[in-house]
Coordinates of all heavy atoms in Angstrom, one line a residue:
M1 N 22.8 78.6 34.5 CA 22.9 79.8 33.7 C 21.7 80.6 33.8 O 20.6 80.1 33.6 CB 23.2 79.3 32.3 CG 23.5 80.5 31.3 SD 23.9 79.9 29.7 CE 25.4 79.1 30.0
R2 N 21.8 81.9 34.0 CA 20.7 82.8 34.0 C 20.5 83.5 32.7 O 21.5 83.9 32.0 CB 20.9 83.8 35.1 CG 20.8 83.2 36.5 CD 20.9 84.2 37.5 NE 19.8 85.1 37.4 CZ 19.7 86.3 38.0 NH1 20.7 86.7 38.8 NH2 18.7 87.1 37.8
F3 N 19.3 83.7 32.3 CA 19.0 84.4 31.0 C 18.2 85.6 31.3 O 17.4 85.7 32.3 CB 18.3 83.5 30.1 CG 19.1 82.3 29.6 CD1 18.8 81.1 30.2 CD2 20.0 82.4 28.6 CE1 19.6 80.0 29.9 CE2 20.8 81.3 28.3 CZ 20.5 80.1 28.9
S4 N 18.4 86.6 30.6 CA 17.6 87.9 30.8 C 16.1 87.6 30.5 O 15.8 86.6 29.8 CB 18.1 89.0 29.9 OG 17.9 88.7 28.5
P5 N 15.2 88.4 31.0 CA 13.8 88.2 30.8 C 13.4 88.1 29.4 O 12.4 87.4 29.1 CB 13.1 89.4 31.5 CG 14.2 89.9 32.5 CD 15.5 89.6 31.9
G6 N 14.1 88.7 28.5 CA 13.7 88.7 27.1 C 14.2 87.5 26.3 O 13.8 87.3 25.2
F7 N 15.0 86.7 27.0 CA 15.6 85.6 26.2 C 14.5 84.5 26.0 O 13.8 84.1 27.0 CB 16.7 85.0 27.0 CG 17.6 84.0 26.3 CD1 18.6 84.6 25.4 CD2 17.4 82.7 26.4 CE1 19.4 83.7 24.7 CE2 18.2 81.8 25.6 CZ 19.2 82.3 24.8
P8 N 14.3 84.1 24.8 CA 13.3 83.1 24.5 C 13.5 81.8 25.3 O 14.5 81.2 25.2 CB 13.4 82.8 23.0 CG 14.2 84.0 22.5 CD 15.1 84.5 23.6
S9 N 12.5 81.5 26.1 CA 12.6 80.3 27.0 C 12.9 79.0 26.3 O 13.5 78.1 26.7 CB 11.4 80.2 28.0 OG 10.3 80.0 27.2
E10 N 12.3 78.9 25.0 CA 12.5 77.7 24.3 C 14.0 77.5 23.9 O 14.3 76.4 23.5 CB 11.6 77.7 23.0 CG 12.0 78.7 22.0 CD 11.2 80.0 22.1 OE1 10.7 80.3 23.3 OE2 11.2 80.8 21.2
L11 N 14.8 78.5 24.0 CA 16.2 78.4 23.6 C 17.0 77.9 24.8 O 18.1 77.5 24.6 CB 16.8 79.7 23.1 CG 16.2 80.1 21.7 CD1 16.8 81.4 21.3 CD2 16.4 79.1 20.6
A12 N 16.5 78.1 26.0 CA 17.3 77.9 27.2 C 17.8 76.5 27.2 O 18.9 76.2 27.7 CB 16.4 78.1 28.5
G13 N 17.1 75.5 26.8 CA 17.6 74.1 26.8 C 18.4 73.8 25.6 O 18.9 72.6 25.4
Q14 N 18.6 74.7 24.7 CA 19.3 74.5 23.4 C 20.7 75.2 23.4 O 21.2 75.4 22.3 CB 18.5 74.9 22.3 CG 17.1 74.1 22.2 CD 16.3 74.7 21.1 OE1 16.7 75.2 20.1 NE2 15.0 74.5 21.2
I15 N 21.2 75.6 24.5 CA 22.4 76.3 24.4 C 23.6 75.3 24.5 O 23.6 74.4 25.3 CB 22.5 77.3 25.7 CG1 21.4 78.3 25.6 CG2 23.9 77.9 25.7 CD1 21.4 79.2 24.4
Y16 N 24.4 75.4 23.5 CA 25.6 74.5 23.4 C 26.7 75.0 24.3 O 27.0 76.2 24.2 CB 26.0 74.4 22.0 CG 25.0 73.8 21.1 CD1 24.3 74.7 20.2 CD2 24.6 72.5 21.1 CE1 23.2 74.2 19.4 CE2 23.6 72.0 20.2 CZ 23.0 72.9 19.4 OH 22.0 72.4 18.6
P17 N 27.3 74.1 25.1 CA 28.4 74.6 25.9 C 29.6 74.9 25.0 O 29.8 74.2 24.0 CB 28.6 73.4 26.8 CG 28.1 72.2 26.1 CD 27.0 72.7 25.2
A18 N 30.4 75.8 25.4 CA 31.7 76.0 24.8 C 32.6 74.8 25.1 O 32.5 74.3 26.2 CB 32.3 77.3 25.3
L19 N 33.3 74.4 24.2 CA 34.2 73.3 24.4 C 35.3 73.6 25.4 O 35.7 74.7 25.4 CB 34.9 72.8 23.1 CG 33.9 72.3 22.0 CD1 34.7 72.1 20.7 CD2 33.2 71.1 22.5
P20 N 35.6 72.7 26.3 CA 36.6 73.0 27.3 C 38.0 73.2 26.5 O 38.2 72.6 25.5 CB 36.7 71.8 28.1 CG 35.9 70.7 27.4 CD 35.0 71.4 26.4
R21 N 38.7 74.1 27.0 CA 40.0 74.5 26.4 C 41.1 74.2 27.4 O 41.0 74.4 28.6 CB 40.1 76.0 26.1 CG 38.9 76.5 25.3 CD 39.0 76.1 23.8 NE 37.7 76.3 23.2 CZ 37.5 76.2 21.9 NH1 38.5 75.8 21.1 NH2 36.3 76.4 21.4
G22 N 42.2 73.8 26.9 CA 43.4 73.6 27.7 C 44.0 75.0 28.1 O 43.7 76.0 27.4
E23 N 44.8 75.0 29.1 CA 45.3 76.3 29.6 C 46.2 76.9 28.4 O 47.1 76.3 27.9 CB 46.2 76.1 30.8 CG 46.6 77.4 31.4 CD 47.3 77.2 32.7 OE1 46.9 76.3 33.4 OE2 48.2 78.0 33.0
G24 N 45.9 78.1 28.0 CA 46.6 78.8 27.0 C 46.2 78.3 25.6 O 46.8 78.8 24.6
E25 N 45.4 77.4 25.5 CA 45.0 76.8 24.2 C 43.9 77.6 23.6 O 42.8 77.8 24.2 CB 44.6 75.4 24.3 CG 44.1 74.7 23.1 CD 43.5 73.4 23.4 OE1 43.6 72.9 24.5 OE2 42.9 72.8 22.5
D26 N 44.1 78.1 22.3 CA 43.0 78.7 21.6 C 42.3 79.8 22.3 O 41.1 79.8 22.4 CB 42.0 77.6 21.1 CG 41.1 78.1 20.0 OD1 41.5 79.0 19.3 OD2 40.1 77.5 19.8
V27 N 43.0 80.7 23.0 CA 42.4 81.8 23.8 C 42.2 82.9 22.8 O 43.1 83.4 22.2 CB 43.4 82.2 24.9 CG1 42.8 83.4 25.6 CG2 43.7 81.1 25.8
P28 N 40.9 83.3 22.6 CA 40.6 84.4 21.7 C 41.1 85.7 22.3 O 41.0 86.0 23.4 CB 39.0 84.3 21.7 CG 38.6 83.7 23.0 CD 39.7 82.8 23.3
V29 N 41.6 86.5 21.4 CA 42.1 87.8 21.7 C 41.0 88.8 21.3 O 40.8 89.8 22.0 CB 43.5 88.1 21.0 CG1 43.9 89.5 21.3 CG2 44.5 87.1 21.5
K30 N 40.4 88.6 20.2 CA 39.4 89.5 19.7 C 38.2 88.8 19.1 O 38.3 87.6 18.7 CB 40.0 90.4 18.6 CG 40.9 91.5 19.1 CD 41.0 92.6 18.0 CE 41.4 93.9 18.7 NZ 41.2 95.0 17.8
V31 N 37.1 89.4 19.2 CA 35.9 88.9 18.6 C 35.4 89.9 17.5 O 35.6 91.1 17.7 CB 34.7 88.6 19.6 CG1 35.1 87.5 20.5 CG2 34.4 89.9 20.3
R32 N 34.7 89.4 16.5 CA 34.1 90.3 15.5 C 32.9 89.5 15.0 O 32.8 88.3 15.1 CB 35.0 90.7 14.4 CG 35.4 89.7 13.4 CD 36.2 90.3 12.3 NE 36.7 89.3 11.4 CZ 36.0 88.8 10.3 NH1 34.8 89.3 10.1 NH2 36.4 87.9 9.6
I33 N 31.9 90.3 14.5 CA 30.7 89.7 13.9 C 30.8 90.0 12.4 O 31.0 91.1 12.0 CB 29.5 90.3 14.5 CG1 29.3 89.9 16.0 CG2 28.2 89.9 13.7 CD1 28.1 90.5 16.7
D34 N 30.6 88.9 11.6 CA 30.5 89.1 10.2 C 29.1 89.6 9.9 O 28.1 88.9 10.0 CB 30.7 87.7 9.5 CG 30.7 87.8 8.0 OD1 30.1 88.8 7.4 OD2 31.3 86.9 7.3
D35 N 29.0 90.9 9.5 CA 27.7 91.6 9.3 C 26.9 91.0 8.2 O 25.7 91.0 8.2 CB 28.0 93.1 9.0 CG 28.5 93.8 10.2 OD1 28.4 93.4 11.3 OD2 29.1 94.9 10.0
K36 N 27.6 90.3 7.3 CA 26.9 89.7 6.1 C 26.2 88.4 6.6 O 25.2 88.0 5.9 CB 27.9 89.4 5.0 CG 28.5 90.6 4.3 CD 29.3 90.2 3.1 CE 30.5 89.4 3.4 NZ 31.6 90.1 4.2
C37 N 26.6 87.8 7.7 CA 26.0 86.6 8.2 C 25.0 86.8 9.3 O 24.1 86.0 9.5 CB 27.1 85.7 8.7 SG 28.3 85.1 7.4
C38 N 25.2 87.8 10.1 CA 24.3 88.0 11.3 C 22.9 88.2 10.8 O 22.6 89.0 10.0 CB 24.8 89.2 12.1 SG 23.7 89.6 13.5
Q39 N 22.0 87.5 11.5 CA 20.6 87.6 11.2 C 19.8 88.1 12.4 O 18.5 88.0 12.5 CB 20.0 86.2 10.8 CG 20.6 85.7 9.5 CD 20.2 86.7 8.3 OE1 19.1 87.0 8.1 NE2 21.2 87.0 7.5
G40 N 20.5 88.5 13.5 CA 19.9 89.1 14.7 C 19.3 88.0 15.6 O 18.3 88.3 16.3
H41 N 19.8 86.9 15.7 CA 19.3 85.8 16.6 C 19.5 86.2 18.1 O 18.8 85.8 19.0 CB 20.0 84.5 16.4 CG 19.6 83.9 15.1 ND1 18.4 83.3 14.8 CD2 20.3 83.8 13.9 CE1 18.3 82.9 13.6 NE2 19.5 83.2 13.0
G42 N 20.5 87.0 18.4 CA 20.6 87.6 19.7 C 21.3 86.7 20.8 O 21.4 87.1 21.9
R43 N 21.7 85.6 20.4 CA 22.4 84.7 21.4 C 23.7 85.3 21.9 O 24.0 85.1 23.0 CB 22.6 83.3 20.8 CG 21.3 82.6 20.6 CD 21.5 81.2 20.0 NE 20.3 80.5 20.0 CZ 20.2 79.2 19.8 NH1 21.3 78.5 19.6 NH2 19.1 78.5 19.7
C44 N 24.4 86.0 21.0 CA 25.7 86.5 21.4 C 25.5 87.5 22.6 O 26.2 87.3 23.6 CB 26.4 87.2 20.2 SG 25.4 88.5 19.4
Y45 N 24.6 88.4 22.5 CA 24.5 89.5 23.5 C 23.8 88.9 24.7 O 23.9 89.5 25.8 CB 24.0 90.8 23.0 CG 22.8 90.8 22.2 CD1 21.5 90.7 22.7 CD2 22.9 90.9 20.8 CE1 20.4 90.8 21.9 CE2 21.8 91.0 20.0 CZ 20.5 90.9 20.5 OH 19.4 90.9 19.7
E46 N 23.0 87.9 24.6 CA 22.4 87.2 25.8 C 23.4 86.4 26.5 O 23.3 86.3 27.7 CB 21.2 86.4 25.3 CG 20.0 87.2 24.8 CD 19.4 88.1 25.8 OE1 19.5 87.9 27.0 OE2 18.7 89.1 25.4
L47 N 24.2 85.7 25.8 CA 25.2 84.8 26.4 C 26.5 85.5 26.9 O 27.1 85.0 27.8 CB 25.5 83.6 25.5 CG 24.4 82.7 25.2 CD1 24.8 81.8 24.0 CD2 23.9 81.9 26.4
A48 N 26.8 86.5 26.2 CA 28.1 87.2 26.6 C 27.9 88.7 26.5 O 28.4 89.4 25.6 CB 29.2 86.8 25.6
P49 N 27.1 89.3 27.4 CA 26.7 90.7 27.4 C 27.9 91.6 27.6 O 27.9 92.8 27.3 CB 25.7 90.8 28.5 CG 25.9 89.7 29.4 CD 26.4 88.6 28.5
G50 N 29.0 91.0 28.1 CA 30.2 91.9 28.3 C 31.0 92.1 27.0 O 31.9 92.9 26.9
L51 N 30.6 91.3 26.0 CA 31.4 91.3 24.7 C 30.5 91.9 23.6 O 31.1 92.4 22.6 CB 31.9 89.9 24.3 CG 32.9 89.3 25.3 CD1 33.2 87.9 24.9 CD2 34.2 90.1 25.3
F52 N 29.2 91.6 23.7 CA 28.3 92.0 22.5 C 27.1 92.8 23.0 O 26.6 92.6 24.1 CB 27.8 90.7 21.9 CG 28.9 89.7 21.4 CD1 29.3 88.7 22.2 CD2 29.5 89.9 20.2 CE1 30.3 87.8 21.7 CE2 30.5 89.1 19.7 CZ 30.9 88.0 20.5
G53 N 26.7 93.6 22.1 CA 25.4 94.4 22.3 C 24.6 94.2 21.1 O 24.9 93.4 20.2
D54 N 23.5 94.9 21.0 CA 22.6 94.9 19.9 C 22.4 96.3 19.3 O 22.4 97.3 20.1 CB 21.3 94.2 20.2 CG 20.5 94.9 21.3 OD1 21.1 95.4 22.2 OD2 19.3 94.8 21.2
D55 N 22.1 96.4 18.1 CA 21.8 97.6 17.5 C 20.3 97.9 17.5 O 19.6 97.1 18.1 CB 22.4 97.8 16.1 CG 21.7 96.9 15.0 OD1 20.6 96.3 15.4 OD2 22.2 96.7 13.9
D56 N 19.8 98.9 16.9 CA 18.4 99.3 17.0 C 17.5 98.2 16.4 O 16.3 98.2 16.7 CB 18.1 100.6 16.3 CG 18.8 101.8 17.1 OD1 19.1 101.6 18.2 OD2 19.0 102.8 16.4
E57 N 18.0 97.4 15.5 CA 17.2 96.4 14.9 C 17.5 95.0 15.4 O 16.9 94.0 14.9 CB 17.5 96.4 13.4 CG 17.1 97.8 12.7 CD 17.4 97.8 11.2 OE1 18.2 97.0 10.8 OE2 16.9 98.7 10.6
G58 N 18.3 94.9 16.5 CA 18.5 93.6 17.1 C 19.7 92.8 16.6 O 19.9 91.7 17.0
Y59 N 20.3 93.4 15.6 CA 21.5 92.7 15.1 C 22.7 92.9 16.1 O 22.8 93.9 16.8 CB 22.0 93.3 13.8 CG 21.0 93.0 12.7 CD1 20.0 93.9 12.3 CD2 21.0 91.7 12.0 CE1 19.1 93.6 11.3 CE2 20.1 91.4 11.0 CZ 19.2 92.4 10.7 OH 18.3 92.1 9.7
G60 N 23.5 91.8 16.2 CA 24.6 91.8 17.1 C 25.7 92.8 16.8 O 25.9 93.1 15.6
M61 N 26.3 93.4 17.8 CA 27.5 94.3 17.5 C 28.5 94.0 18.6 O 28.1 93.7 19.8 CB 27.0 95.7 17.5 CG 26.2 96.2 18.6 SD 25.6 97.9 18.4 CE 27.0 98.8 19.0
V62 N 29.7 94.1 18.3 CA 30.8 93.9 19.2 C 31.0 95.2 20.0 O 30.9 96.3 19.5 CB 32.1 93.6 18.4 CG1 33.3 93.7 19.3 CG2 32.0 92.3 17.8
L63 N 31.2 95.1 21.3 CA 31.4 96.2 22.2 C 32.9 96.6 22.1 O 33.8 95.8 22.1 CB 31.0 95.8 23.6 CG 29.6 95.4 23.9 CD1 29.3 95.1 25.3 CD2 28.6 96.6 23.4
G64 N 33.1 97.9 22.1 CA 34.4 98.4 22.0 C 35.1 97.9 20.7 O 34.5 97.8 19.7
D65 N 36.4 97.6 20.9 CA 37.2 97.2 19.7 C 37.2 95.7 19.5 O 37.9 95.2 18.7 CB 38.6 97.8 19.7 CG 39.4 97.2 20.8 OD1 38.9 96.4 21.6 OD2 40.7 97.5 20.8
G66 N 36.4 95.0 20.3 CA 36.3 93.5 20.3 C 37.4 92.8 21.0 O 37.4 91.6 21.0
T67 N 38.2 93.5 21.7 CA 39.2 92.9 22.6 C 38.5 92.1 23.7 O 37.6 92.6 24.4 CB 40.2 93.9 23.2 OG1 40.8 94.6 22.1 CG2 41.2 93.2 24.1
V68 N 38.9 90.8 23.9 CA 38.3 90.0 24.9 C 39.1 90.2 26.2 O 40.3 89.8 26.3 CB 38.4 88.5 24.5 CG1 37.8 87.6 25.5 CG2 37.6 88.3 23.1
P69 N 38.4 90.8 27.2 CA 39.1 91.0 28.4 C 39.4 89.7 29.1 O 38.7 88.7 28.9 CB 38.1 91.8 29.3 CG 37.1 92.3 28.4 CD 37.1 91.3 27.2
P70 N 40.4 89.6 30.0 CA 40.7 88.4 30.8 C 39.5 88.0 31.5 O 38.8 88.8 32.1 CB 41.8 88.9 31.7 CG 42.5 90.0 31.0 CD 41.4 90.7 30.3
G71 N 39.2 86.7 31.5 CA 38.0 86.2 32.2 C 36.8 86.1 31.3 O 35.8 85.5 31.7
E72 N 36.8 86.7 30.1 CA 35.6 86.7 29.2 C 35.8 85.7 28.1 O 35.0 85.6 27.2 CB 35.4 88.1 28.7 CG 35.1 89.1 29.7 CD 33.6 89.4 29.9 OE1 32.8 88.8 29.2 OE2 33.3 90.2 30.9
E73 N 36.9 84.9 28.1 CA 37.2 84.1 27.0 C 36.1 83.0 26.8 O 35.7 82.7 25.7 CB 38.6 83.4 27.2 CG 39.7 84.3 27.2 CD 40.1 84.8 28.6 OE1 39.3 84.6 29.5 OE2 41.2 85.4 28.8
Q74 N 35.6 82.5 27.9 CA 34.6 81.4 27.8 C 33.3 82.0 27.2 O 32.7 81.3 26.4 CB 34.3 80.8 29.2 CG 33.5 79.5 29.2 CD 34.3 78.3 28.7 OE1 35.5 78.4 28.4 NE2 33.6 77.2 28.6
G75 N 33.0 83.2 27.5 CA 31.8 83.8 26.9 C 32.0 84.0 25.4 O 31.1 83.8 24.7
A76 N 33.2 84.3 25.0 CA 33.4 84.4 23.6 C 33.2 83.1 22.9 O 32.6 83.0 21.8 CB 34.9 85.0 23.3
H77 N 33.7 82.1 23.4 CA 33.6 80.7 22.8 C 32.1 80.3 22.9 O 31.6 79.7 22.0 CB 34.4 79.7 23.6 CG 35.9 79.8 23.2 ND1 36.3 79.4 21.9 CD2 36.9 80.1 23.9 CE1 37.6 79.6 21.9 NE2 38.0 80.0 23.1
L78 N 31.4 80.6 24.0 CA 30.0 80.3 24.2 C 29.2 81.0 23.1 O 28.3 80.3 22.5 CB 29.5 80.7 25.6 CG 28.2 80.2 26.0 CD1 28.1 78.7 26.0 CD2 27.8 80.8 27.4
A79 N 29.4 82.2 22.9 CA 28.6 83.0 21.9 C 28.9 82.4 20.5 O 28.0 82.2 19.7 CB 29.0 84.4 22.0
A80 N 30.2 82.1 20.2 CA 30.5 81.6 18.9 C 29.9 80.2 18.6 O 29.3 80.0 17.6 CB 32.0 81.5 18.7
A81 N 29.9 79.4 19.7 CA 29.3 78.1 19.5 C 27.8 78.1 19.4 O 27.2 77.1 18.8 CB 29.7 77.2 20.8
N82 N 27.2 79.2 19.8 CA 25.7 79.2 19.8 C 25.1 80.2 18.7 O 23.9 80.3 18.6 CB 25.2 79.6 21.2 CG 25.3 78.4 22.1 OD1 24.5 77.5 22.1 ND2 26.3 78.4 22.9
C83 N 25.9 80.8 17.9 CA 25.4 81.7 16.9 C 24.9 80.7 15.7 O 25.8 80.1 15.1 CB 26.4 82.7 16.4 SG 25.8 83.6 14.9
P84 N 23.6 80.7 15.4 CA 23.1 79.8 14.4 C 23.7 80.1 13.0 O 23.7 79.3 12.1 CB 21.6 80.0 14.4 CG 21.3 80.6 15.7 CD 22.6 81.5 16.1
E85 N 24.2 81.4 12.8 CA 24.7 81.7 11.5 C 26.2 81.6 11.4 O 26.8 82.0 10.4 CB 24.2 83.2 11.2 CG 22.8 83.4 11.3 CD 21.9 82.6 10.4 OE1 22.4 82.2 9.3 OE2 20.7 82.3 10.7
H86 N 26.8 81.2 12.5 CA 28.3 81.2 12.5 C 28.9 82.5 12.1 O 29.9 82.6 11.4 CB 28.8 80.1 11.6 CG 28.2 78.7 11.9 ND1 28.5 78.0 13.0 CD2 27.3 78.0 11.2 CE1 27.8 76.9 13.0 NE2 27.0 76.9 12.0
A87 N 28.3 83.6 12.6 CA 28.7 84.9 12.3 C 29.8 85.5 13.2 O 30.4 86.5 12.9 CB 27.5 85.9 12.3
I88 N 30.1 84.8 14.3 CA 31.1 85.3 15.2 C 32.4 84.7 15.0 O 32.6 83.5 14.9 CB 30.6 85.0 16.7 CG1 29.3 85.7 17.0 CG2 31.7 85.4 17.7 CD1 28.7 85.3 18.3
V89 N 33.4 85.6 14.8 CA 34.8 85.2 14.5 C 35.7 85.5 15.6 O 35.7 86.6 16.1 CB 35.3 85.9 13.2 CG1 36.7 85.5 12.8 CG2 34.3 85.7 12.0
L90 N 36.4 84.5 16.1 CA 37.4 84.6 17.2 C 38.8 84.6 16.6 O 39.1 83.8 15.7 CB 37.3 83.5 18.2 CG 35.9 83.2 18.8 CD1 36.0 82.1 19.8 CD2 35.3 84.5 19.4
T91 N 39.6 85.6 17.0 CA 41.0 85.6 16.4 C 41.9 85.7 17.6 O 41.6 86.1 18.7 CB 41.2 86.7 15.4 OG1 40.9 88.0 16.1 CG2 40.4 86.5 14.2
Ligands
F3S101 FE1 23.9 87.8 15.0 FE2 24.6 85.4 15.7 FE3 24.5 87.3 17.5 S1 23.1 85.9 14.2 S2 22.8 88.7 16.8 S3 25.9 87.3 15.7 S4 23.9 85.2 17.8

């Protein structure tokens, strides 16, 4: 797994894998971030840059309307599994 240059190296060994899913099982359709929980850890946009971005203060934000494009489901699960604040909601 590659991380962007700004990703803290001490976190590289602490990334939790997304749990394997069966075909068609628990496939997220949308992602959202609970703004009350997000503390700006940045793992979401480092691990799934196709789904998340950051605002001017480093807090996570969902790109677009949060729809998870085909092929990005694993990134959605990976981001959710690694948000320390459990701020990412998959529906
Ligand atoms: Fe916020 Fe969690 Fe991302 S704290 S910046 S939603 S990793």
